[in-house]
Structures are given as structure tokens and as C-alpha cells.
Amino acid sequence: MSKRRKKQEITLGTAVMLLVVGLILGSIFVFGSQYWGEPIQREDATEVSAIYEAYEINPGKIRKHHIKQIEITLADHSSVYIDGACVSEDVKDGIKALPKGAKLDMLVHPNSDTVWELKHGDKTILSFEESQKDIKNENVGFIILGIFMYFCAAIGLSSLLMRGIRTRKRKRR
């Protein structure tokens, strides 16, 4: 004889958490990444010329060896950022080699302070085309993560609906 396994029911708190967190994070991942990293044409980017002061590499919180972004501090403009998806060894080396007081020419995304192209004189440290490709790939990852979060919300919602249906059936008896 085999014993029938009873399905483990999701608790009410877990179901509500899955629903709320799934909807919030799913929306941020799907719609936020599409806004902040929206594909743009070169002529739609904001042109910025500013004097370089310093940079800071901000590591990821989970994987310390992963770069979240590089913050570039400018003397005559607010700080700008290079997305971690766009950071390669060549980009890091190019930024490390910049002397303080260097004039930088940049193309910045209009919806964020993210640099999509970085030039110092004739040298291109970060190319617009590479940034566009890297950020597009990153956005695909965020969309997949957002869809997963919506799936978690659907599990929470279905658990709540099933709980409600069972409660009504018990009341009818």
C-alpha cells in the first residue's frame, strides 16, 4: 500500500507576498528596464562635454567580482554612470588611464545618467554601438526575470483564489 501524499498548501502570508512582490518587481524589471535602457538612436542621446575628476567602480551586491556600474565624477556636470553590462577590460583600462582634468565627450541616455559613448580626444573608450548591444542584452535578461516574477504573482493569486473557493464550499455545507 502506498500512502497518498497531500500537496503542501502555500500559507496565506506567502501567497500574499508572492502576489505583491511578484507584481511590483515584475513591473520594475519589465517596464523600468525598458524605460531606463530604452534603445535610442545616436541623435536621440544627450551630448555632454565635461571635465573629468575621478571614477569609482561600484561592485555588485551579490557577486563582489561583478561590476554593477562605474561612476564618473565630473567637475562641471553631475556624475554619470557606465552600466556594468558595458564594462569590459578595455573600458576599465581606458577610464583608469584618464588624467584628472581631461575633457570628456559623452553621449548620455536621456532617461537616465547612463553613458552610452565615452571619448577622450580622438580615443573612444566606450562605443555607442557596443553599449547599445550590451544594454539590449541586459534588458532581455530583465524581461525574463520580470516574467518569472509575474509567474510568482500568478502562483500567489491562484493560491488565494483556491483558498477562497474552498472556504465558500465549506460554508455551503
Side-chain angles (χ1 to χ4, degrees):
M1 265 195 226
S2 65
K3 293 182 179 180
R4 286 183 68 186
R5 284 181 66 178
K6 187 177 178 183
K7 285 187 179 179
Q8 194 80 20
E9 190 174 306
I10 296 174
T11 65
L12 180 62
T14 302
V16 170
M17 184 203 66
L18 282 172
L19 178 63
V20 172
V21 172
L23 287 174
I24 291 171
L25 289 180
S27 297
I28 289 171
F29 290 145
V30 170
F31 301 110
S33 67
Q34 293 305 302
Y35 176 76
W36 295 305
E38 176 185 19
I40 59 171
Q41 298 301 314
R42 180 179 289 275
E43 52 273 357
D44 296 332
T46 305
E47 292 182 31
V48 175
S49 291
I51 305 301
Y52 170 78
E53 277 196 349
Y55 76 94
E56 181 180 350
I57 295 177
N58 299 325
K61 294 193 187 302
I62 296 171
R63 297 181 298 173
K64 297 294 180 193
H65 65 277
H66 176 74
I67 295 175
K68 177 182 173 190
Q69 66 186 10
I70 297 177
E71 180 179 356
I72 300 174
T73 306
L74 304 167
D76 50 351
H77 193 275
S78 59
S79 294
V80 292
Y81 304 88
I82 296 177
D83 192 295
C86 303
V87 176
S88 65
E89 287 301 316
D90 291 338
V91 171
K92 282 195 293 188
D93 293 342
I95 292 172
K96 287 178 184 177
L98 288 172
K100 186 174 180 177
K103 182 178 182 247
L104 300 179
D105 295 312
M106 299 168 280
L107 293 177
V108 178
H109 195 285
N111 296 343
S112 64
D113 291 328
T114 306
V115 176
W116 281 39
E117 183 172 82
L118 176 63
K119 290 184 177 185
H120 173 241
D122 293 339
K123 184 179 179 194
T124 300
I125 297 170
L126 177 65
S127 82
F128 184 85
E129 290 75 21
E130 279 296 311
S131 294
Q132 196 171 38
K133 181 184 72 133
D134 293 339
I135 290 175
K136 180 180 179 185
N137 290 339
E138 183 181 51
N139 284 349
V140 169
F142 276 119
I143 289 171
I144 291 169
L145 190 56
I147 291 169
F148 173 74
M149 294 309 298
Y150 282 142
F151 177 72
C152 291
I155 290 172
L157 179 63
S158 66
S159 175
L160 291 172
L161 290 174
M162 293 305 293
R163 186 180 301 269
I165 291 169
R166 280 193 297 272
T167 302
R168 273 198 219 124
K169 282 182 180 179
R170 279 190 220 129
K171 285 183 180 178
R172 286 181 187 163
R173 286 187 217 166

